[in-house]
C-alpha cells in the first residue's frame, strides 16, 4: 500500500533499456533506449499501436525475454538476470492459458504450491482469490467448462494468488465482447485498489487506458512518447503522435511572433489571427509551429464578424448519438473537425453547405513538438 | 428425392467404386473370421459352427510353440514400445521445444525417413549390420531392430500433440514459480500424455505384427507370433491359423479403439 514507506524506490525502474531481436538480415529494434519508473501501488498502462513494443517490454519485466542493453530494477534491485520463477512478478497472458488438466482451484493454487506455502494458507488464500473474482462456486470445474469471461477472471486470480509485487497484464480484455470488457475494466481497477499490487497493463485501446490508469506511457516505434495521467496526455499532448493517437486532434499551422517565459504568441496561418498560448518551451520568433485543438473545444456558429473567428463551410455532418461531428473546410482550404453535444436546446440545426464561423478559444490551444 | 446440395457432391460411379474397395479390403478378413469357427479341417467348405480350432490353438500339438512365440512377441512389443516411445518423446521435445539448431530440418527428415525406406531394405541392412559387428542373433537383436523402426511411428502422434500445445502454458508455469523440471512434470508431460499413449500403442502394434525385419534378424529357433504363423502356414494352412489370426485381429482392434478414445479425450481437454 501507499503507506508502506519501506519501499522508497519505484516498483519498477526501466533504465536505458534497448531490445533488438537478432536476425541474420533484418534485426528488429523493438525498444530503443527507453527509461522510466513505475511507482509503488500504481495502475500503470503501456498504450500504443500494435507492434510498438508493449508486449516486448512486458515480457522483459516478466523475465521471458532477454535485455539487449540496459537494466530493469524491482524496488531498487537489478532483476535483469533472474529467471521468471525467481521474480516476484506474475503475468496475466493474453491467451488465458488455464492448465486444462487442473480444476479452477488447482489452477489458482499452483503458484502458492510452487512457493512451498503451507497447506492451510494455500487453501484460505486460494479461496479468498476465488471470492475476489466471484468464482467460489466454480472451484471444482475444469477450465473447458467455463465461459471466456470466467476463464479470464480465473487467469487473473491465478496470477494474483501468490501476492506478487507487480502484476503484468497483456491486453487481457481484448478477447472479450464489449459489454464484458467494460464490466471487467471496473473490476480490474477495483481489484487493483483492494490488493494494493502494482499493475502494469498493456493495451492498444485508448479508451481502456484513459478510464483505468493512474498513469499512462504512450509508446510508438519502440520509444516512449509521453508519460502522464489521462488528463495530461489528452489535454497536453507533447507531440503529433500523442495528439493523434489519443482522441481526435485538429492541427493548425502557425508562426511564432513573440515568445515569453510562459507563453508564446503566434499568428494562425488560416486567417492571420493572433493567439497567445501557454507553453514553457521557448520558440524563436518567426519559427513555424503546429498548434492543436480538440474537436469538442471548438465552437461553431452562424457567420459572425468577430476578428479571431475563422470562416468556413460545413462539408459533412455525422450524428454520433451524444454528439454531432462537423467537418468544416476553412477559407484557406484547411479542414477542421468539431464536435457539439446534442442537447435539446441546441438552437437551429446546421446543414451541409452552411457558411459558419469557427471560434477557437485560446486557452484550449496547445503547441506541439514534431 | 436428392436435394440440390447433395446433387452437387454426387459423382456417378463413385459409390460403386467405394463399395468395391471396401469389399476387397474386408472380405478376406471376414472370411478368415468366419472359417475360424468352421467345424471341419477344410478351409473352404463350411460344415457348422464350433470352437475346435480355438481349442486346437491352446491345446493342440503346436500350442507350446505358439505360446512361446506369443510370449516372445509380447515381451518384444512391450519393451520396444516403451523404449521407442521414450526416445520419440525426447526427440519431439528437442525438435519442437528446444532451441533451433543447425541441421534441424535434416534431423526431422532422418527421424521420419525409415517410414519411407522399403522394409526389406531395412531388414537386409539390419541383418548385415548385426553380422558385421558380430552381434548374436536372438531375442535381443529382434528387440533392438524393433526399437529402431518403431521410433518414427511413436514420434508422429507425440510430435503432433506437442505442436498443438502453445508455449504459453510453460511460460505461465515458469511465471508461477515452477522450475523447468516442475514445468515439464506438472504441465507439459500431462498435456502431452494423450499423444505419448497413442505413440506407445502405435509402436506396440507395429512391433507386434512385424514379420519381414523380424524374420531376417531373428536367430534360429527364436520365433515371434508372425514368424511362427508363417512357419506353420508353410506346412499347409489349417483352420487353427485362422483362429490365431482372428484372435490377433480382435486384439489389434481393441488397441486401436483404445488409442482412438485416448486421443479424443485429449482433444476434449483442449
Ligand atoms: N520473437 C520475435 N522475434 C522477432 N521480432 C519480434 C519478436 N517479437 C516481437 N517482434 C517485433 O518487435 C516489435 C514489437 O513487437 P511487440 O512487442 O509484440 O509489440 P506490441 O505488443 O506493442 O504489439 C514488432 O515489430 C514485432 O514484429
Ligand atoms: Mg502485444
Amino acid at each position: 500500500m501507499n503507506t508502506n514507506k519501506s519501499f522508497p524506490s519505484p516498483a519498477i525502474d526501466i533504465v536505458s533499456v534497448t531490445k533488438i531481436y537478432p536476425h541474420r538480415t533484418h534485426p528488429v529494434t523493438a525498444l530503443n533506449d527507453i527509461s522510466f519508473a513505475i511507482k509503488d501501488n500504481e495502475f500503470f498502462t503501456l498504450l500504443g499501436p500494435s507492434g510498438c513494443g508493449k508486449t516486448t517490454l512486458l515480457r522483459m519485466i516478466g523475465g521471458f525475454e532477454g535485455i539487449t542493453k540496459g537494466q530493469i530494477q524491482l524496488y531498487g534491485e537489478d532483476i535483469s538476470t533472474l529467471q521468471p520463477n525467481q521474480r516476484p512478478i506474475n503475468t496475466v497472458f493474453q491467451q488465458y492459458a488455464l492448465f486444462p488438466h487442473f480444476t479452477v482451484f488447482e489452477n489458482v493454487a499452483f503458484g502458492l504450491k510452487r512457493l512451498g506455502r503451507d497447506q492451510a494458507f494455500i487453501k484460505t488464500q486460494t479461496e479468498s482469490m476465488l471470492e475476489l473474482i466471484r468464482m467460489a462456486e466454480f472451484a471444482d470445474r475444469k477450465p473447458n467448462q467455463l465461459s471466456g469471461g470466467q476463464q479470464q477472471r480465473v487467469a487473473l486470480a491465478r496470477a494474483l494468488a501468490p501476492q506478487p509485487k507487480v502484476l503484468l497484464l497483456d491486453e487481457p480484455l481484448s478477447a472479450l465482447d464489449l459489454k464484458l470488457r467494460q464490466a471487467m475494466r471496473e473490476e480490474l481497477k477495483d481489484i487493483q485498489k483492494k490488493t494494493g499490487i502494482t499493475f502494469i497493463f498493456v493495451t492498444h485501446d485508448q479508451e481502456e487506458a484513459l478510464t483505468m490508469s493512474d498513469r499512462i506511457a504512450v509508446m510508438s516505434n519502440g520509444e516512449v512518447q509521453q508519460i502522464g495521467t489521462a488528463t495530461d496526455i489528452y489535454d497536453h499532448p507533447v507531440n503529433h503522435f500523442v495528439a493523434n493517437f489519443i482522441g481526435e486532434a485538429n492541427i493548425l499551422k502557425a508562426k511564432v511572433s513573440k515568445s515569453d517565459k510562459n507563453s508564446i504568441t503566434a499568428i494562425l496561418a488560416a486567417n492571420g489571427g493572433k493567439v497567445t498560448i501557454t507553453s514553457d518551451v521557448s520558440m524563436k520568433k518567426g519559427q513555424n509551429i503546429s498548434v492543436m485543438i480538440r474537436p469538442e473545444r471548438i465552437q461553431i456558429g452562424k457567420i459572425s464578424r468577430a476578428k479571431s473567428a475563422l470562416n468556413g463551410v460545413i462539408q459533412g455532418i455525422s450524428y454520433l448519438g451524444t454528439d454531432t461531428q462537423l467537418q468544416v473546410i476553412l477559407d484557406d482550404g484547411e479542414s477542421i473537425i468539431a464536435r457539439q453535444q446534442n442537447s435539446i436546446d441546441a438552437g437551429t440545426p446546421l446543414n451541409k453547405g452552411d457558411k459558419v464561423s469557427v471560434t477557437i478559444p485560446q486557452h484550449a490551444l496547445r503547441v506541439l513538438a514534431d | 428425392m436428392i436435394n440440390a446440395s447433395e446433387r452437387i457432391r454426387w459423382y456417378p460411379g463413385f459409390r460403386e467404386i467405394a463399395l468395391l474397395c471396401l469389399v476387397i479390403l474386408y472380405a478376406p478378413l471376414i472370411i478368415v473370421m468366419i472359417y475360424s469357427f468352421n467345424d471341419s479341417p477344410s478351409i473352404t467348405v463350411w460344415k457348422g459352427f464350433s470352437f475346435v480350432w480355438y481349442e486346437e490353438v491352446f491345446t493342440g500339438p503346436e500350442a507350446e510353440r505358439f505360446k512361446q512365440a506369443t510370449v516372445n512377441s509380447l515381451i518384444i512389443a512391450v519393451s520396444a514400445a516403451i523404449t521407442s516411445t521414450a526416445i520419440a518423446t525426447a526427440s519431439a521435445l528437442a525438435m519442437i521445444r528446444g532451441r533451433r539448431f543447425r541441421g534441424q530440418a535434416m534431423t526431422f527428415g532422418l527421424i521420419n525417413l525409415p517410414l519411407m525406406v522399403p522394409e526389406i531394405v531395412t531388414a537386409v541392412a539390419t541383418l548385415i549390420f548385426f553380422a558385421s559387428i558380430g552381434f548374436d542373433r536372438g531375442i535381443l537383436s529382434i528387440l533392438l531392430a524393433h526399437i529402431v523402426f518403431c521410433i518414427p511411428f511413436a514420434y508422429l502422434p507425440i510430435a503432433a500433440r506437442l505442436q498443438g500445445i502453445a508455449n504459453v502454458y510453460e511460460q505461465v508455469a515458469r511465471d508461477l514459480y515452477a522450475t523447468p523440471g516442475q514445468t515439464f512434470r506438472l504441465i507439459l508431460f500431462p498435456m502431452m500424455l494423450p499423444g505419448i499413449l497413442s505413440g506407445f500403442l502405435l509402436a506396440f502394434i507395429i512391433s507386434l505384427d512385424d514379420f519381414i525385419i523380424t524374420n531376417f534378424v531373428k536367430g534360429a529357433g527364436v520365433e515371434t507370433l508372425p514368424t511362427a504363423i508363417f512357419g506353420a502356414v508353410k506346412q499347409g494352412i489349417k483352420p487353427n491359423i485362422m483362429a490365431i489370426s482372428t484372435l490377433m485381429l480382435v486384439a489389434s482392434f481393441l488397441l486401436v479403439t483404445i488409442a482412438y478414445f485416448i486421443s479424443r479425450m485429449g482433444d476434449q481437454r483442449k
Side-chain angles (χ1 to χ4, degrees):
Chain A
M1 310 265 153
N2 264 345
T3 51
N4 193 341
K5 287 286 188 278
S6 66
F7 293 133
S9 34
I12 292 283
D13 205 350
I14 316 266
V15 188
S16 313
V17 165
T18 294
K19 174 70 185 181
I20 299 170
Y21 287 108
H23 187 271
R24 210 159 26 84
T25 52
H26 300 94
V28 178
T29 305
L31 294 171
N32 189 8
D33 192 23
I34 61 167
S35 294
F36 62 89
I38 296 163
K39 296 177 204 155
D40 184 38
N41 193 17
E42 193 169 29
F43 197 121
F44 191 90
T45 298
L46 300 172
L47 172 66
S50 174
C52 72
K54 309 179 295 287
T55 297
T56 300
L57 181 55
L58 209 66
R59 289 173 60 80
M60 288 164 91
I61 299 173
F64 298 103
E65 206 69 73
I67 303 173
T68 310
K69 239 190 286 172
Q71 199 179 76
I72 294 178
Q73 297 180 351
L74 176 70
Y75 292 107
E77 260 174 70
D78 181 15
I79 54 166
S80 311
T81 56
L82 297 182
Q83 292 288 303
N85 54 315
Q86 298 169 320
R87 302 182 184 205
I89 295 173
N90 290 148
T91 310
V92 179
F93 289 85
Q94 198 165 0
Q95 319 88 322
Y96 317 133
L98 299 180
F99 302 131
H101 53 297
F102 288 160
T103 62
V104 167
F105 186 95
E106 291 165 331
N107 264 283
V108 177
F110 188 87
L112 292 164
K113 280 204 183 129
R114 301 287 81 69
L115 285 172
R117 297 289 145 81
D118 66 74
Q119 285 298 316
F121 178 76
I122 293 177
K123 190 162 185 296
T124 49
Q125 172 69 0
T126 304
E127 277 165 0
S128 87
M129 282 300 124
L130 290 176
E131 211 70 61
L132 183 70
I133 56 159
R134 294 176 284 108
M135 290 284 290
E137 68 267 44
F138 296 95
D140 296 326
R141 294 244 188 127
K142 285 285 182 67
N144 65 1
Q145 298 167 302
L146 302 177
S147 71
Q150 291 171 331
Q151 290 185 28
Q152 167 65 70
R153 297 218 298 280
V154 174
L156 179 65
R158 181 175 64 176
L160 281 169
Q163 296 166 313
K165 292 198 172 137
V166 175
L167 187 77
L168 312 176
L169 303 103
D170 192 355
E171 313 217 9
L173 308 184
S174 59
L176 304 178
D177 59 55
L178 184 65
K179 272 270 163 357
L180 208 52
R181 198 153 69 220
Q182 285 168 344
M184 275 301 289
R185 284 182 196 163
E186 305 281 323
E187 200 165 332
L188 269 181
K189 184 86 194 135
D190 218 47
I191 288 173
Q192 194 268 329
K193 284 232 179 70
K194 273 189 204 154
T195 57
I197 293 173
T198 307
F199 275 34
I200 306 180
F201 182 89
V202 159
T203 184
H204 63 262
D205 181 334
Q206 44 138 330
E207 197 180 312
E208 222 164 80
L210 293 176
T211 52
M212 296 169 78
S213 324
D214 293 326
R215 284 195 308 153
I216 300 167
V218 184
M219 295 176 63
S220 99
N221 279 328
E223 285 177 7
V224 174
Q225 302 294 329
Q226 185 171 4
I227 296 183
T229 63
T231 342
D232 285 343
I233 62 168
Y234 184 78
D235 231 16
H236 296 276
V238 295
N239 59 23
H240 277 96
F241 177 82
V242 178
N244 283 314
F245 190 72
I246 318 289
E248 275 178 289
N250 292 299
I251 292 169
L252 303 169
K253 291 191 193 71
K255 188 173 252 174
V256 177
S257 67
K258 191 153 143 278
S259 179
D260 291 328
K261 196 155 173 286
N262 295 318
S263 72
I264 60 164
T265 305
I267 313 285
L268 291 179
N271 66 346
K274 196 179 258 187
V275 289
T276 302
I277 311 166
T278 45
S279 163
D280 43 19
V281 188
S282 74
M283 301 275 177
K284 277 200 285 292
K285 189 174 170 196
Q287 189 180 345
N288 286 316
I289 58 168
S290 300
V291 297
M292 192 256 352
I293 185 161
R294 296 291 181 193
E296 69 276 10
R297 298 299 195 90
I298 292 175
Q299 289 147 23
I300 301 264
K302 289 273 153 70
I303 204 85
S304 89
R305 306 222 156 263
K307 258 248 184 92
S308 68
L310 306 166
N311 293 327
V313 176
I314 293 184
Q315 175 78 13
I317 301 180
S318 336
Y319 178 74
L320 302 174
T322 55
D323 298 319
T324 297
Q325 179 166 301
L326 304 164
Q327 192 192 3
V328 179
I329 302 289
L330 299 180
D331 288 350
D332 73 332
E334 270 190 282
S335 164
I336 258 191
I337 303 283
R339 278 197 184 192
Q340 296 187 316
Q341 248 183 16
N342 292 328
S343 54
I344 300 170
D345 42 27
T348 42
L350 293 163
N351 294 307
K352 196 174 159 179
D354 282 358
K355 284 202 158 144
V356 288
S357 83
V358 176
T359 310
I360 294 178
Q362 291 190 23
H363 62 269
L365 281 170
R366 306 285 177 253
V367 180
L368 294 182
D370 291 317
Chain B
M1 276 303 287
I2 306 171
N3 69 35
S5 76
E6 275 170 6
R7 201 173 304 132
I8 288 170
R9 287 182 288 153
W10 188 80
Y11 299 97
F14 273 37
R15 182 195 308 241
E16 289 72 12
I17 292 172
L19 278 175
L20 186 68
C21 290
L22 285 176
V23 168
I24 293 171
L25 264 177
Y26 285 101
L29 292 179
I30 290 167
I31 289 169
V32 163
M33 287 173 83
I34 292 172
Y35 275 88
S36 71
F37 296 104
N38 193 1
D39 190 15
S40 148
S42 161
I43 55 164
T44 46
V45 184
W46 181 256
K47 259 191 67 184
F49 185 88
S50 99
F51 282 110
V52 287
W53 298 113
Y54 288 87
E55 281 172 44
E56 163 99 11
V57 167
F58 291 104
T59 60
E62 288 170 316
E64 195 47 44
R65 190 167 156 224
F66 282 131
K67 202 178 122 197
Q68 188 54 50
T70 308
V71 170
N72 287 348
S73 269
L74 287 176
I75 290 173
I76 290 167
V78 169
S79 323
I82 289 174
T83 318
S84 60
T85 304
I87 295 171
T89 305
S91 329
L93 285 168
M95 291 294 293
I96 297 163
R97 283 304 200 263
R99 265 170 214 234
R100 312 190 99 255
F101 56 90
R102 274 173 70 108
Q104 193 161 19
M106 198 179 75
T107 310
F108 179 79
L110 285 177
I111 291 174
N112 290 297
L113 195 64
L115 296 175
M116 279 157 274
V117 174
E119 203 180 340
I120 185 72
V121 175
T122 311
V124 171
T126 313
L127 174 64
I128 293 171
F129 174 73
F130 281 138
S132 66
I133 64 168
F135 197 94
D136 270 351
R137 281 184 286 144
I139 285 234
L140 199 56
S141 61
I142 304 178
L143 179 58
L144 285 175
H146 279 219
I147 289 171
V148 171
F149 77 69
C150 282
I151 289 171
F153 291 98
Y155 181 82
L156 287 178
I158 295 171
R161 176 82 196 164
L162 185 55
Q163 230 132 25
I165 302 171
N167 287 321
V168 69
Y169 291 98
E170 290 137 272
Q171 290 174 8
V172 172
R174 293 303 304 282
D175 191 57
L176 294 166
Y177 313 106
T179 61
Q182 289 171 331
T183 303
F184 178 73
R185 197 160 46 79
L186 299 168
I187 303 302
L188 195 54
F189 183 74
M191 289 180 77
M192 285 174 76
L193 200 55
I196 293 175
L197 287 178
S198 341
F200 174 85
L201 286 175
L202 197 56
F204 179 82
I205 290 186
I206 296 287
S207 163
L208 196 65
D209 83 0
D210 178 73
F211 173 74
I212 300 178
I213 293 175
T214 312
N215 202 38
F216 273 68
V217 302
K218 82 186 174 68
V222 182
E223 301 284 357
T224 64
L225 203 47
T227 63
I229 291 173
F230 183 71
V233 169
K234 273 202 293 199
Q235 287 146 31
I237 301 176
K238 281 200 307 172
N240 64 339
I241 298 299
M242 297 190 177
I244 292 183
S245 305
T246 305
L247 289 172
M248 278 187 83
L249 197 63
V250 170
S252 302
F253 179 77
L254 283 178
L255 279 180
V256 172
T257 311
I258 292 170
Y260 170 77
F261 279 110
I262 287 172
S263 71
R264 244 191 31 170
M265 193 175 75
D267 287 344
Q268 277 171 359
R269 273 177 175 177
K270 267 217 297 202

